[in-house]
Amino acid sequence: MRSGEYKQAVGRLRRGDCYCCLGVLTDLYDKDTQNGYHEWYEEDGQYVYASGHGTSETTLPVSVMKWADLAECNPTVREERMGEPITSLAYLNDNEALDFNQLADIIEAQL
């Protein structure tokens, strides 16, 4: 996320050439495991990620969650400044408008 390779999106894993924080991880998984065959496909102007465990639009596909050794499809983190001690990465990306650098700091510290 810090590389500058990805533009940030909200509300979905991917919108055109923009990704939410979970979409970046999904794209990295896709590039690492699919050997040139990509699981992203466009449906009604929106991108969806298809895997052996169904499709995903807003949270991590199960295959990505397992690949990244995460316990949840929408990982939760502690974020005290919001007044709520635990929240999800998707919420911080979509509703709190944390940029990729801020999200990367949280991910590195907690996941």
Side-chain angles (χ1 to χ4, degrees):
M1 292 189 321
R2 295 186 202 275
S3 70
E5 178 182 344
Y6 293 94
K7 295 182 224 168
Q8 195 166 1
V10 298
R12 295 181 68 90
L13 291 175
R14 179 177 175 187
R15 290 183 185 272
D17 65 346
C18 300
Y19 299 78
C20 78
C21 62
L22 301 179
V24 170
L25 184 60
T26 301
D27 197 56
L28 293 173
Y29 162 84
D30 188 69
K31 289 176 180 176
D32 186 55
T33 64
Q34 298 306 318
N35 298 319
Y37 175 77
H38 300 289
E39 299 289 341
W40 290 111
Y41 71 92
E42 192 174 353
E43 182 177 276
D44 298 326
Q46 301 292 333
Y47 277 88
V48 175
Y49 193 81
S51 68
H53 301 281
T55 61
S56 186
E57 301 171 11
T58 59
T59 61
L60 291 174
V62 172
S63 55
V64 177
M65 180 188 77
K66 290 179 179 180
W67 174 79
D69 198 28
L70 295 169
E72 305 167 283
C73 289
N74 187 6
T76 54
V77 293
R78 298 193 72 72
E79 184 57 29
E80 299 290 344
R81 70 187 177 99
M82 292 178 43
E84 295 292 327
I86 297 178
T87 191
S88 71
L89 289 175
Y91 184 85
L92 294 173
N93 184 94
D94 296 352
N95 300 93
E96 294 299 315
L98 269 64
D99 65 33
F100 277 165
N101 285 324
Q102 293 169 304
L103 290 163
D105 288 343
I106 292 168
I107 290 166
E108 288 171 355
Q110 297 185 41
L111 300 174

